[in-house]
Amino acid sequence: MFEGKRYSDYTSNAPKFFSELVIEPLLKFRVDKIDHGRSGIYILYENGLPVYVGRTRNLQSRFRAHVTQSHNSASFALK
């Protein structure tokens, strides 16, 4: 996985990458308007507070998994 690099080579850049990530504008989306197979990082909010952050290779199917009434599909499926 690390192919010749040390774990610290990756983690030492985490603060820089996080700073870059938080300055990006948040995009609201509708699940029916997302291109199938589009990847990204997403945040689920409750009462204006972030309660879950995830990363996926397919935003459309992952979001649907979060709102499906099945405990097998996603963390927030039963919430």
Side-chain angles (χ1 to χ4, degrees), residues 6-27:
R6 296 182 321 240
Y7 181 74
S8 62
D9 294 335
Y10 291 94
T11 57
S12 63
N13 288 320
K16 174 183 152 264
F17 293 144
F18 182 75
S19 296
E20 292 173 7
L21 179 63
V22 297
I23 63 171
E24 289 293 316
L26 295 178
L27 303 174

Side-chain angles (χ1 to χ4, degrees), residues 47-62:
N47 298 325
L49 298 173
V51 293
Y52 185 83
V53 177
R55 181 181 71 171
T56 184
R57 292 187 180 149
N58 188 328
L59 281 167
Q60 187 180 53
S61 66
R62 188 63 180 148

Side-chain angles (χ1 to χ4, degrees), residues 17-74:
F17 293 144
F18 182 75
S19 296
E20 292 173 7
L21 179 63
V22 297
I23 63 171
E24 289 293 316
L26 295 178
L27 303 174
K28 292 186 178 184
F29 66 90
R30 290 179 32 188
V31 71
D32 60 336
K33 298 289 183 184
I34 300 173
D35 295 332
H36 185 69
R38 186 171 181 180
S39 63
I41 296 171
Y42 61 95
I43 305 170
L44 299 179
Y45 289 87
E46 185 174 347
N47 298 325
L49 298 173
V51 293
Y52 185 83
V53 177
R55 181 181 71 171
T56 184
R57 292 187 180 149
N58 188 328
L59 281 167
Q60 187 180 53
S61 66
R62 188 63 180 148
F63 182 75
R64 283 196 175 123
H66 276 294
V67 297
T68 301
Q69 292 293 322
S70 169
H71 66 281
N72 294 321
S73 62

